[in-house]
Amino acid sequence: MRLREELPGDTAAVGALHREAFGDHGKLVAELTDGLRARLTPDDGLSLVAEEDGRVVGHVMFTRSLLDAPRRLVDVQVLSPLAVTPDRQRRGVGSALVRRGVEILTARGVPLVFLEGDPRYYSRFGFAPGGGSGFRRPSLRIPRPPSRPSPCRRTSRG
């Protein structure tokens, strides 16, 4: 498996991957990915693919966001979406993509990465529910899922 930055020629394959991986919600996730991709710049965000035998089998995207801290706005990244083609799930593809993305963002000096997801899955990468650190959902109108607190966070300092 080869991990690399997404290239312009990967757009259709990444869209197809999201449609396949997310089932009924796949079209919406693919459209979200296209919208987020349009905001990426070389220094502001990251889109990685996992490739096997010339086929895109996984994708992760990190996009810039701002954290409204008491004294200033802080540039952070948001991990979303993460997808792996169903025939390659539970084989380390998603883990490899998240780990590589966090490595790259750490090297860039990104202080925090947020996501909304299952702490049982993401805790293996150093993410933890953000509520204990004083973070809250981006909007209090978003219902709190009973099985997965939101948001999660990871500092680039380990």
Side-chain angles (χ1 to χ4, degrees), residues 26-103:
K27 182 176 186 260
L28 180 63
V29 176
E31 290 170 357
L32 169 70
T33 303
D34 289 341
L36 292 171
R37 183 185 297 112
R39 296 178 30 198
L40 292 180
T41 66
D43 297 321
D44 223 7
L46 181 64
S47 185
L48 298 175
V49 297
E51 183 179 61
E52 288 183 345
D53 300 320
R55 176 178 164 229
V56 173
V57 298
H59 175 252
V60 68
M61 185 175 280
F62 298 84
T63 54
R64 179 180 184 256
S65 189
L66 292 170
L67 173 66
D68 192 0
R71 294 190 179 145
R72 64 185 175 96
L73 292 175
V74 178
D75 280 310
V76 298
Q77 293 284 312
V78 176
L79 186 166
S80 181
L82 170 64
V84 175
T85 190
D87 68 324
R88 298 298 298 145
Q89 290 176 0
R90 298 187 187 343
R91 297 185 182 183
V93 175
S95 295
L97 284 165
V98 171
R99 285 190 176 101
R100 183 65 184 130
V102 169
E103 282 176 14

Side-chain angles (χ1 to χ4, degrees), residues 7-22:
L7 301 172
D10 296 324
T11 302
V14 168
L17 166 69
H18 287 292
R19 286 188 295 279
E20 182 181 9
F22 285 97

